Amino acid sequence: MSATNLLHIQHLSKTFQSAKGDVKALHNIQLDIQEGEFVTVIGPSGCGKSTLLKIIAGLDVHYKGTVSLGDRKVEGPGIDKGFIFQEPRLFPWLTVERNIAADLSLRKPEIRQKVDELIELVRLKGFEKSYPRELSGGMAQRVAIARALLRNPKVLLLDEPFGALDAFTRAHMQEVLLDIWQRNRTTMIFVTHDIDEAVFLANRIVVLKPRPGAIQNIIGVDLAFPRKKSSTAFHQLRFKVLSEFDKIEELELVGGAGI
Amino acid sequence: MSKPIELLGQPDHATQTGKGWRVSTRWKERMGSFAIGGLLPVGLLVIWQLAGELGLISTFFLPTPTMIFAAFGDLFASGDLAYHLGVSLKRAAAGFAIGGSIGLLLGLVAGFSRYGEYVLDPSVQMFRMIPHLAIAPLIILWFGFGEVSKILIIAKGAFFPLYINTFLGIRNVDNKLIDVARVLSFKRYKQFFLLILPASLPQLFLGLRLSLALSWLGLVVAELIGSEAGIGFLMTIAKQNSMMEIIFVGVILFAVVGKLIDSFVRLLERRFLQWQDSYKG
């Protein structure tokens, strides 16, 4: 691989302490992600995929092992790590453009220009002055994406961002996101529980298994864009991911943990 | 299907007519609701007046609306009304300014810091339970019958609503949005002005309204205890001279001015909380 290594995760383990005792959420995760990659993380619920993303974002710093972005250890949240939550989480008292700018001033010409470009990029022209309550779920999530992109993050972390959207809006949002990725080449780490979504977007798919969360397998996807969800190659990859899930299920049954 | 296309084709025309239509209906609606709201009090006034004129009730104990209005006119013409109302308003404003700002300040401290809460909240809650009339004798013994005592009594009333609503407003800020502020690396003051202040604004306005209302109500207690001017003083004198009309003028003034102050704050509220997406009935 000639591309530079952007994210470096080594021996990452995470344990939650609770009244009933300790719960191991992540066990010995090893993962390297290159600059410009689109990585999707998929796994059954309870596999710690959101926890992994929060740790990369710096929102959770109580873990064992090392996580570094570029040549710096992740020690807290920062604008170099954009984060998209499952819900848009916009500020209801700010208009679309002011939500995107947030703590940056729209009066600065360079910010103004970038915000306008981003509004164009996420296809929200004409809604600059709208309030969040006037937007649909998909539009609001696009505002959130623009807000993260304005800060030029080294990596964009997306935590099931389209999970709450209907199937059509979701398909549209996937295309919008791919379009952004192809233009900006921002490194993307995208957590999902939807196999189609994982295959449609990724260069590589990280399959996690639960209890404790660990990497089951990493599957490379070398389908050309634009991808067709109805193509044979797409389905072959889909089966590959599904067979990993089958293996996880067998392990669960052998282990007696159940689901 | 053809409607959105039409709108896209002539955006200016469409929005302009849209707006004009909305304004006129809204105005009509408002006048309509005004008329409905006025129905009950106007009806009662008419019955009251008739009952007095027909001798069904004693006009000594219950002067008719026209008598009260005449008393109001006399007070207004002599300039007494403006003078006493001015004195009362100044008192209420001073008490509100002092009590309200201390409430706001302590509410901010208790809201932002858990230690602040531990230190302040129990004492504040105890202080709240002391009735005006229980503490009034002490205040009068310490500060006499002068202006200071009255302003302190009013301030005591104004303090608590702003304290508790500022505190709760800050504590009710959505943690999910705080996470957004962390991810976007807001500086502390940006977090305050962009997130915490606007998010707690609805509750702050509620505190402001209650605080103003209690200042206005505290004014009565303060002025009836003993004063040389103000609406409460006018009413005390009227009581001693059995001038029922003037007592009514005082009662009505308290109600009307209090309502006007509240309406003004609600106007501000509507102006600042346009973004809110909540049930409006």
Side-chain angles (χ1 to χ4, degrees):
Chain A
M1 293 240 177
S2 61
T4 45
N5 210 345
L6 179 72
L7 184 76
H8 185 62
I9 301 176
Q10 221 173 5
H11 304 300
L12 170 64
S13 295
K14 162 83 191 174
T15 308
F16 283 110
Q17 268 130 19
S18 76
K20 286 183 196 160
D22 293 357
V23 178
K24 195 146 204 194
L26 293 172
H27 176 67
N28 199 21
I29 303 278
Q30 308 267 16
L31 184 63
D32 283 320
I33 290 174
Q34 263 85 49
E35 216 174 293
E37 253 194 306
F38 201 132
V39 173
T40 53
V41 179
I42 190 166
S45 61
C47 69
K49 47 192 195 296
S50 283
T51 308
L52 176 63
L53 208 64
K54 288 222 164 79
I55 289 174
I56 299 172
L59 284 170
D60 184 345
V61 290
H62 305 288
Y63 58 85
K64 278 190 208 129
T66 50
V67 178
S68 42
L69 184 70
D71 45 14
R72 291 179 61 186
K73 262 199 85 174
V74 174
E75 277 161 343
I79 50 170
D80 52 344
K81 305 173 284 283
F83 200 99
I84 307 293
F85 298 91
Q86 183 165 6
E87 329 82 49
R89 299 199 186 181
L90 303 180
F91 300 114
W93 44 86
L94 298 181
T95 57
V96 164
E97 56 182 16
R98 296 201 56 211
N99 254 294
I100 296 172
D103 61 329
L104 308 172
S105 170
L106 276 172
R107 258 168 276 157
K108 286 187 188 153
E110 69 272 18
I111 303 284
R112 177 80 252 177
Q113 196 195 338
K114 274 206 75 179
V115 168
D116 288 341
E117 283 169 20
L118 281 167
I119 285 173
E120 195 105 27
L121 185 68
V122 297
R123 306 176 194 176
L124 279 171
K125 204 136 182 51
F127 292 94
E128 294 90 339
K129 310 273 186 225
S130 302
Y131 282 93
R133 67 181 148 88
E134 299 164 308
L135 305 179
S136 69
M139 290 160 87
Q141 199 57 291
R142 279 181 274 157
V143 176
I145 292 171
R147 178 170 69 182
L149 289 175
L150 178 64
R151 275 97 189 149
N152 273 328
K154 285 186 188 145
V155 57
L156 193 59
L157 308 163
L158 304 104
D159 187 8
E160 300 187 28
F162 309 147
L165 305 177
D166 64 84
F168 290 105
T169 314
R170 183 189 291 207
H172 172 69
M173 291 293 286
Q174 289 163 359
E175 269 158 36
V176 172
L177 190 66
L178 274 181
D179 181 44
I180 291 168
W181 176 64
Q182 279 159 347
R183 284 176 202 228
N184 292 11
R185 287 287 153 185
T186 310
T187 311
M188 306 267 186
I189 304 178
F190 189 110
V191 164
T192 180
H193 53 237
D194 179 336
I195 297 176
D196 278 347
E197 191 167 66
V199 177
F200 186 71
L201 296 171
N203 295 135
R204 280 197 295 161
I205 304 171
V206 177
V207 182
L208 292 185
K209 60 183 173 192
R211 284 174 285 268
I215 294 179
Q216 163 77 17
N217 202 354
I218 298 177
I219 298 166
V221 183
D222 48 3
L223 297 176
F225 291 101
R227 291 169 180 172
K228 279 241 178 295
K229 283 178 186 167
S230 53
S231 73
T232 323
F234 193 94
H235 276 275
Q236 277 165 354
L237 268 159
R238 214 172 162 274
F239 281 128
K240 217 167 160 182
V241 178
L242 272 173
S243 67
E244 293 297 335
F245 280 143
D246 288 342
K247 282 185 214 162
I248 294 171
E249 232 169 89
E250 278 164 32
L251 282 174
E252 290 263 298
L253 290 175
V254 172
I259 293 181
Chain B
M1 273 312 274
S2 67
K3 221 175 184 181
I5 296 163
E6 257 171 45
L7 285 173
L8 281 176
Q10 316 153 303
D12 284 340
H13 175 69
T15 48
Q16 258 173 22
T17 50
K19 231 178 205 172
W21 179 81
R22 211 182 298 157
V23 166
S24 72
T25 44
R26 199 181 280 170
W27 197 76
K28 265 184 208 161
E29 240 170 55
R30 251 194 219 161
M31 286 314 285
S33 74
F34 198 75
I36 291 168
L39 219 57
L40 188 65
V42 168
L44 281 176
L45 278 180
V46 170
I47 293 169
W48 180 359
Q49 180 72 31
L50 286 176
E53 303 235 340
L54 297 174
L56 295 176
I57 47 174
S58 152
T59 52
F60 175 74
F61 288 110
L62 192 63
T64 60
T66 46
M67 288 164 75
I68 296 167
F69 191 75
F72 176 84
D74 288 346
L75 281 171
F76 186 79
S78 67
D80 283 356
L81 188 80
Y83 169 70
H84 290 290
L85 186 61
V87 169
S88 286
L89 279 173
K90 258 183 228 156
R91 262 178 205 148
F96 167 74
I98 293 168
S101 49
I102 296 174
L104 185 69
L105 194 77
L106 296 190
L108 286 172
V109 173
F112 274 111
S113 140
R114 216 177 301 170
Y115 291 108
E117 183 194 352
Y118 293 155
V119 171
L120 290 173
D121 202 57
S123 311
V124 170
Q125 297 296 343
M126 272 202 289
F127 181 64
R128 171 167 87 105
M129 292 303 167
I130 305 170
H132 277 328
L133 286 172
I135 207 171
L138 273 182
I139 291 181
I140 287 165
L141 280 175
W142 288 337
F143 300 101
F145 279 101
E147 219 45 26
V148 179
S149 297
K150 294 181 189 63
I151 289 172
L152 279 179
I153 289 173
I154 296 164
K156 179 188 165 290
F159 164 80
F160 193 75
L162 257 172
Y163 165 81
I164 192 70
N165 284 293
T166 307
F167 172 77
L168 288 178
I170 293 170
R171 288 300 170 92
N172 286 341
V173 176
D174 192 350
N175 234 337
K176 290 180 170 182
L177 289 181
I178 301 275
D179 268 351
V180 172
R182 287 178 67 203
V183 165
L184 297 179
S185 301
F186 280 11
K187 292 197 180 72
R188 268 198 93 92
Y189 77 97
K190 290 272 188 189
Q191 182 167 333
F192 179 76
F193 285 108
L194 278 172
L195 174 55
I196 292 172
L197 186 66
S200 47
L201 209 55
Q203 189 116 32
L204 273 178
F205 266 112
L206 178 65
L208 188 66
R209 280 175 67 191
L210 292 173
S211 199
L212 278 167
L214 283 189
S215 308
W216 195 236
L217 295 178
L219 181 71
V220 189
V221 177
E223 290 189 339
L224 290 181
I225 284 169
S227 54
E228 296 86 49
I231 302 295
F233 166 77
L234 263 187
M235 290 169 78
T236 317
I237 296 295
K239 186 184 88 182
Q240 282 157 10
N241 297 313
S242 298
M243 291 150 76
M244 281 295 183
E245 304 93 84
I246 294 187
I247 295 181
F248 271 98
V249 170
V251 168
I252 292 165
L253 267 180
F254 271 116
V256 170
V257 174
K259 168 69 183 142
L260 284 178
I261 294 171
D262 192 59
S263 298
F264 174 70
V265 180
R266 290 187 70 169
L267 201 74
L268 288 181
E269 199 173 52
R270 227 173 287 153
R271 167 83 182 70
F272 281 102
L273 301 180
Q274 273 175 346
W275 52 267
Q276 264 192 328
D277 183 19
S278 54
Y279 180 64
K280 291 189 177 70

